């Protein structure tokens, strides 16, 4: 006899069935019809209450762990326990040159200061945004009344930031009180924050505090602050206690926080900037500022996503604000530089060729980041991160990300009797799954292609897809010299297949050579590379070779005179040694070349009817889109 209700399901119907099973085994309900009685309503209430409580407990348990939490407040809270501070919204910024011409103006000053907070307006997608300077800039008269404003490095490129300058004021209370300073603005860009501490409310002298993320050493007199996201989406300002991370403001001190409240990515791609007002030149008057755009606005972004926090918080915790392993570099860089969306690092001993005593770093920047901004970030990483946090004297070398393309041909058997979709629409759906797989799993450092995962998703599209397979090639690209012969080394991130007696392992896209359309292919059963024209004749018998184990293609004395297909590069495609798993190393990122990639099907009808002839069997066949399938011989009439 059942004495307990056995159930571990969250489904309402399963819970109700468990209650029925329990009651049906009780003597008083032995012959009871639960479906046609008032007791069914009571069971509904009990099942609903159990279902509701089980779901609540399940959700609460999920929110207790970083890997399963779904609410942003939970993920942020778990990240905080690991010492990780998620990125805030990032203000879009542009680079401009600012000049003034006062030629012929009497009494003009030797220099002009353009104060912080000078505004500009610009349109992006038909919406007007406000940009402004965040610091003072000075221009000096060149002797002819021309003034060029320069940044602190003496360069003419000046950054302006989108957003509205806001200010928040706090007063430090009694020591016994918990000092909580909340900035009620979800659109805050914490990277633009500045914190000033005044002795009293009436003081004009102040002390500047700096972000704790920039700290390389901390003592009791260090003045650092931290701005972190609160569970309600606002931001909290915290100081040290004199021990943990520096000096805290004293009782009665006034704290002023200034920052930009911005629109993020919405303000990207603005290119024309107009001064919000004229510049007041002392003792002369107001004059118009000339603005020349160096780079349109970019790098604006939303708050760090939940999945990004979930992935990077444990890595940052492992780094512990020092650079020992490759993951330490990745964690520190991504935490301190919001324009870097992805990063990877590897030791010089793992580089090809090996380069001991160095660490190699590759960065992926947000769309719209200019070359000048990228250079600035790289210089900052070397000066403020590597030189201060590295435990050894190791040089930092930057490598640009290199894309390795996949050429994938998906083939599947399709039974049209099991679905209402056509062959063509199913092929389109299969190719869409391929694109989604690449978007979700690749296009980032460390993205691994697994053929079984892709085919599993293809098979799950419809029961009409009976089975599937995929052939995979990898592709690198290089830009040749069209004016003179040169030698090239093309590196693949994986081993290549050995030469075959029937199929080419390495082949290139077409180019012009000796006035003919040609391509590079390896000789069958040989690693030697040849130039072959469009009719199959050999133009050059030996133009180089490929090394299967190292994944290297070597070209010697290669001198094409043109490239077909309207591009400036040549594609080198190769069959990998392992088509099932492609795991790129170092700075390689996998992507899909949709040109040679496609999905194709063969009709495979599982249920077919037999056509009977008079006295003898008649065999019929049905032709599919790619293959011909023959029905079984008909059964003799004497069998009926």
């Amino acid at each position: 006899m059942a004495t307990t209700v056995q159930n571990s399901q969250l489904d309402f119907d399963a819970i109700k069935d468990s209650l029925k099973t329990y009651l049906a085994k009780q003597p008083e309900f032995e012959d009871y019809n639960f479906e046609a009685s008032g007791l069914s309503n009571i069971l509904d209430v009990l099942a609903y209450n159990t279902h509701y409580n089980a779901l609540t407990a399940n959700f609460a348990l999920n929110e207790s762990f970083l890997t399963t939490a779904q609410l942003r407040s939970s993920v942020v809270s778990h990240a905080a326990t690991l010492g990780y501070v998620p990125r805030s919204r990032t203000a879009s910024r542009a680079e401009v040159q600012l000049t003034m011409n006062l030629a012929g103006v009497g009494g003009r000053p030797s220099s002009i200061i353009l104060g912080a907070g000078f505004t500009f307006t610009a349109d992006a997608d038909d919406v007007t945004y406000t940009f402004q300077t965040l610091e003072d800039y000075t221009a000096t008269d060149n002797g002819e009344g021309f003034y060029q404003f320069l940044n602190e490095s003496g360069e003419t490129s000046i950054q302006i930031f989108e957003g509205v300058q806001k200010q928040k004021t706090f007063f430090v209370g009694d020591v016994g009180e918990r000092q909580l300073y909340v900035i009620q603005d979800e659109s805050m860009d914490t990277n633009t924050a500045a914190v000033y501490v005044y002795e009293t409310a009436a003081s004009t002298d102040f002390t500047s505090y700096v972000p704790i993320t920039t700290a390389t050493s901390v003592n009791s007199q260090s003045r650092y602050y931290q701005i972190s996201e609160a569970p309600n989406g606002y931001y909290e300002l915290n100081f040290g206690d004199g021990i943990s991370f520096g000096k805290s403001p004293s009782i009665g001190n006034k704290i002023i926080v200034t920052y930009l409240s911005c629109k993020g990515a919405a303000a990207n791609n603005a290119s024309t900037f107009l001064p919000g007002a004229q510049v007041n030149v002392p003792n002369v008057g107001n004059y118009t500022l000339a603005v020349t755009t160096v780079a349109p606005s970019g790098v604006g972004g939303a708050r760090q996503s939940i999945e990004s926090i979930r992935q990077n918080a444990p890595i940052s915790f492992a780094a512990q604000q020092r650079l020992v392993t490759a993951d330490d570099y990745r964690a520190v860089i991504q935490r301190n530089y919001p324009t870097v969306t992805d990063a990877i690092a590897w030791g010089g001993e793992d580089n090809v060729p090996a380069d001991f005593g160095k660490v190699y770093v590759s960065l992926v920047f947000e769309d719209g980041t200019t070359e000048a901004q990228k250079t600035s970030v790289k210089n900052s990483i070397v000066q403020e991160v590597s030189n201060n946090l590295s435990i050894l004297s190791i040089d930092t070398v930057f490598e640009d990300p290199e894309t390795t393309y996949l050429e994938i041909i998906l083939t599947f058997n399709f039974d049209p009797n099991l679905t209402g979709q056509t062959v063509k629409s199913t092929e389109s759906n299969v190719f869409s799954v391929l694109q989604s797989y690449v978007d979700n799993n690749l296009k980032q450092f460390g993205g691994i292609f697994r053929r079984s995962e892709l085919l599993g998703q293809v098979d799950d599209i419809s029961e009409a897809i009976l089975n599937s397979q995929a052939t995979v090639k990898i592709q690198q690209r290089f830009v040749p010299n069209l004016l003179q012969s040169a030698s090239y080394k093309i590196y693949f991130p994986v081993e290549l297949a050995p030469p075959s007696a029937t199929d080419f392992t390495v082949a290139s896209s077409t180019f012009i050579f000796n006035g003919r359309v040609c391509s590079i292919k390896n000789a069958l059963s040989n690693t030697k590379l040849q130039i072959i024209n469009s009719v199959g004749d050999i133009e050059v018998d030996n133009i180089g070779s490929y090394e299967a184990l190292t994944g290297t293609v070597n070209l010697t004395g290669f001198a094409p005179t043109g490239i077909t297909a309207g591009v400036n590069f040549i594609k080198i495609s190769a069959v990998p040694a392992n088509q099932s798993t492609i795991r790129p190393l170092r700075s390689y990122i996998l992507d899909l070349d949709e040109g040679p990639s496609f999905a194709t099907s063969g009709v495979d009808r599982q249920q077919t009817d037999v056509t009977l002839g008079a006295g003898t069997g008649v065999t019929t066949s049905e032709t599919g889109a790619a293959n011909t399938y023959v029905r079984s011989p008909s059964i003799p009439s004497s069998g009926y």
Side-chain angles (χ1 to χ4, degrees), residues 468-489:
S468 58
Q469 61 182 7
T471 59
V472 182
K473 291 184 179 181
I474 52 179
Q475 175 201 119
Q476 293 295 127
R477 300 174 179 181
F478 74 100
V479 179
N481 190 326
L482 301 180
L483 300 178
Q484 61 184 19
S485 64
S487 297
Y488 303 90
K489 277 185 176 291

Side-chain angles (χ1 to χ4, degrees), residues 384-442:
E384 300 177 13
V385 177
S386 298
N387 292 347
N388 291 325
L389 302 181
S390 177
I391 63 174
L392 297 172
S393 297
I394 298 177
D395 294 331
T396 302
V397 180
F398 292 96
E399 286 278 352
D400 291 333
E402 186 166 355
T403 301
T404 295
Y405 293 90
L406 300 179
E407 300 176 4
I408 301 176
I409 299 176
L410 285 168
T411 305
F412 61 94
N413 282 6
F414 177 75
D415 188 347
N417 295 330
L418 299 179
T419 182
Q421 291 188 333
T422 64
V423 172
K424 290 300 181 184
S425 63
T426 304
E427 289 177 348
S428 177
N429 292 339
V430 170
F431 193 74
S432 295
V433 167
L434 170 60
Q435 292 172 315
S436 298
Y437 175 83
V438 172
D439 291 338
N440 296 333
N441 297 279
L442 309 180

